[in-house]
Amino acid sequence: QDSLPLRVIMANINGKGDFEAVLDMGSSFITMSRLVWKRLGYSIQDNIQMHMENANAGHSLMMGLMHNTQVTISGADFFLQIFVVETTAFEILLGMPFFALTRGQVSFDPTGNVNLILINLNMNRRLNLPTQAHVKEGNENQNQSGIGYLGF
């Protein structure tokens, strides 16, 4: 295939609800939209602010940091440092720090399915999770982050 959509999994935040989490090994951060953060009602460390450059050369304001946020994926708990971003087209974005913490790997099979393999060191547990395509409604050539398909 000459391109593939970004992939997503569902993640529960502190037992307060399930949210769509975009897998993005090209991102230097784990981020959450301001709307999700407001819905959760948690505090952030707001003295840590910076601008994040998007793949399309735009910028988003990082409003602050949620420390040691419990994120449950398929029954396994991970404690993540999550930046809250003012303007996003996603609920959660799992970037490189997530993949480093979980020793995350992406596995492609011949039928086009994509699985995410994670290690939870606290539980000594290996997870093999199916992922879903992340496609913006009404435009099958673009995902919700506005980046479009990843080309190979």
Side-chain angles (χ1 to χ4, degrees):
Q1 297 184 22
D2 62 345
S3 66
L4 295 170
L6 289 174
R7 307 303 291 185
V8 298
I9 58 172
M10 296 306 292
N12 185 285
I13 307 298
N14 286 338
K16 294 235 178 175
D18 292 327
F19 299 93
E20 188 177 76
V22 173
L23 305 173
D24 186 356
M25 293 179 79
S27 176
S28 300
F29 304 98
I30 300 170
T31 58
M32 172 186 291
S33 77
R34 179 183 58 81
L35 295 176
V36 170
W37 167 69
K38 286 185 83 167
R39 196 161 69 191
L40 291 170
Y42 292 115
S43 63
I44 58 173
Q45 184 178 348
D46 62 2
N47 65 335
I48 300 175
Q49 293 184 353
M50 62 184 98
H51 288 274
M52 177 175 74
E53 185 174 352
N54 302 329
N56 62 359
H59 288 84
S60 296
L61 174 64
M62 289 187 175
M63 300 169 49
L65 179 65
M66 294 174 51
H67 287 285
N68 299 320
T69 306
Q70 181 181 351
V71 177
T72 304
I73 300 168
S74 193
D77 293 331
F78 301 93
F79 293 88
L80 307 178
Q81 313 314 310
I82 303 176
F83 285 92
V84 176
V85 180
E86 177 69 35
T87 306
T88 67
F90 54 81
E91 293 179 321
I92 298 169
L93 186 135
L94 299 173
M96 288 299 291
F98 172 76
F99 287 91
L101 174 72
T102 63
R103 294 186 170 96
Q105 300 174 13
V106 178
S107 169
F108 298 84
D109 74 21
T111 63
N113 294 320
V114 180
N115 288 334
L116 176 64
I117 301 164
L118 305 175
I119 305 293
N120 183 305
L121 296 174
N122 294 327
M123 300 173 68
N124 196 27
R125 184 172 166 204
R126 183 177 189 264
L127 304 170
N128 190 342
L129 310 169
T131 66
Q132 303 297 316
H134 181 60
V135 179
K136 186 175 179 178
E137 284 185 34
N139 184 353
E140 62 278 356
N141 292 321
Q142 186 176 26
N143 63 49
Q144 287 186 349
S145 65
I147 298 170
Y149 285 90
L150 297 176
F152 295 97

